[in-house]
Amino acid sequence: MSFIDLPADRPDLPQVTLPSCVPALVPAYRERLAALHDVARVRMYDDSITDGREFLRRIEGADLAVIAGFHIADDVLRELSGHVRCLVFSGTGIASFVNVPLAHSLGVTMCNAERYGDASVAEHAIALLFEIARGVGHQNASLHAGRWFDEGGMLQLQGLTIGLVGFGGVGRAVARIADGIGMRVKVWCRHPDREPLAEFHAEPAASLDDLFAGCDVVSLHLALNEATRGMIGAHELDMLRPGSILINTARAEIIAPGALVERLRRGDIHAGVDVYDHEPLAPDDPILALPNVVTTPHTAWKTVRALDNVAVQNADTIRAFLAGSPEHVVD
């Protein structure tokens, strides 16, 4: 572990602390947070921790804290609220990392990063889809093992129907790619906007049930909140017809606990999954024992551009908050 502490000679400036960092974000944060030296004292730790007491020790005296992958327990949140005025998150799904209603009740402002990785996550969703359809990774492994891949039955995506659950920035980016490769696009969202639907030659699904029952591919693109937590359950998953594919690069908690594994165990559908209820994923997690799922370790957003976008937006958010004009506030 090491940390930067800039500027050390300005005790008059407010303190901004990054107490724990996702390794992939370290280079971007080193550059972008250091640029705040004229408006704040910046203390940045470059390792990743899980212990709440160590977290509190590191943010002692901080006015703002940047949260990059750390899960804040309620007792930790109550203690830090005595001096931390703002929590700045390195992403959008903050409900996975902090008790949002409790933070509001304690008077802690929360800001997130928005639209920083729409294209990156969308490309990853399509990459999972292509891997399931064409098995490029499997074919590559076969050749490197000295086996000539001579299997048929691969899936052509052109002409298939992809159903998008949610149509925000990532959903629209997926629609753009899917439309480009000749897929038919259907969309379910609470407040459909006809103009972007037309832009991607997409059509609204009559209902969520209609989308799950009528699409070859279903891809989830919802934010996690109390309205979406567990909204996809056994009922919806049962409607997936044999041979269909489910992609989840959003949040695991959108699917009811255990429901996806149970559905996959029937063996008649495939899934591409980048997010999990508990991360890092345990080596004995049942989803890893299933042959009909492609898994990646929550890396959909981790492109160089997206990582820098997070750091830039977080730094801008800190400047705005200290100037009295908070941006990207989570309400």
Side-chain angles (χ1 to χ4, degrees):
M1 179 271 294
S2 63
F3 63 88
I4 61 172
D5 200 1
L6 298 170
D9 58 347
R10 290 293 306 275
D12 58 305
L13 294 178
Q15 175 77 49
V16 174
T17 301
L18 173 62
S20 176
C21 193
V22 175
L25 275 166
V26 169
Y29 271 140
R30 278 189 181 278
E31 177 182 355
R32 303 301 181 176
L33 293 185
L36 295 170
H37 64 86
D38 60 328
V39 296
R41 289 174 292 136
V42 177
R43 171 165 287 192
M44 172 185 161
Y45 293 83
D46 64 2
D47 61 339
S48 180
I49 62 172
T50 58
D51 180 69
R53 303 317 301 176
E54 175 62 12
F55 178 88
L56 287 169
R57 185 190 71 79
R58 292 185 178 189
I59 64 168
E60 185 176 354
D63 299 282
L64 294 88
V66 181
I67 309 301
F70 186 87
H71 295 262
I72 304 175
D74 287 355
D75 61 330
V76 173
L77 179 60
R78 291 188 181 94
E79 192 163 340
L80 68 82
S81 68
H83 59 91
V84 173
R85 294 183 287 145
C86 181
L87 297 173
V88 181
F89 286 83
S90 63
T92 54
I94 71 171
S96 297
F97 297 96
V98 67
N99 183 333
V100 174
L102 177 60
H104 281 306
S105 72
L106 294 169
V108 179
T109 300
M110 293 171 292
C111 302
N112 60 13
E114 300 176 355
R115 302 293 173 86
Y116 62 90
D118 287 356
S120 296
V121 176
E123 290 171 7
H124 197 90
I126 295 296
L128 289 170
L129 177 56
F130 265 109
E131 180 58 31
I132 293 168
R134 307 307 291 264
V136 172
H138 175 56
Q139 294 182 50
N140 176 66
S142 293
L143 279 177
H144 278 81
R147 298 187 300 273
W148 183 258
F149 185 87
D150 195 23
E151 300 173 22
M154 290 182 289
L155 190 63
Q156 176 177 300
L157 297 178
Q158 183 185 32
L160 298 186
T161 300
I162 183 169
L164 307 179
V165 182
F167 204 50
V170 177
R172 295 180 190 190
V174 170
R176 180 180 294 109
I177 299 170
D179 179 52
I181 59 177
M183 299 186 77
R184 180 185 176 198
V185 180
K186 295 185 72 172
V187 173
W188 178 90
C189 60
R190 287 188 171 84
H191 307 290
D193 187 334
R194 296 285 176 171
E195 186 173 341
L197 285 175
E199 179 183 350
F200 306 116
H201 307 107
E203 58 185 88
S207 65
L208 191 60
D209 285 359
D210 172 66
L211 185 135
F212 270 82
C215 293
D216 304 291
V217 181
V218 173
S219 192
L220 307 183
H221 302 291
L222 293 170
L224 177 64
N225 52 49
E226 291 311 306
T228 62
R229 187 182 297 274
M231 68 172 289
I232 306 300
H235 171 76
E236 289 78 18
L237 297 176
D238 281 347
M239 292 189 172
L240 292 171
R241 57 197 184 199
S244 59
I245 299 168
L246 179 77
I247 303 292
N248 190 6
T249 54
R251 282 291 185 269
E253 296 90 340
I254 292 169
I255 302 176
L260 180 58
V261 168
E262 286 304 308
R263 181 66 182 87
L264 286 167
R265 280 176 173 156
R266 298 186 203 172
D268 63 340
I269 68 167
H270 286 79
V273 181
D274 185 55
V275 289
Y276 310 93
D277 291 320
H278 301 284
E279 298 179 0
L281 194 64
D284 61 348
D285 192 283
I287 200 167
L288 296 176
L290 299 170
N292 51 337
V293 59
V294 174
T295 55
T296 53
H298 204 155
T299 52
W301 63 287
K302 291 183 179 178
T303 63
V304 172
R305 181 175 294 181
L307 292 167
D308 191 57
N309 286 346
V310 168
V312 168
Q313 191 174 140
N314 282 173
D316 289 345
T317 296
I318 292 167
R319 282 188 180 275
F321 181 86
L322 294 176
S325 302
E327 298 175 348
H328 307 297
V329 176
V330 175
D331 56 13

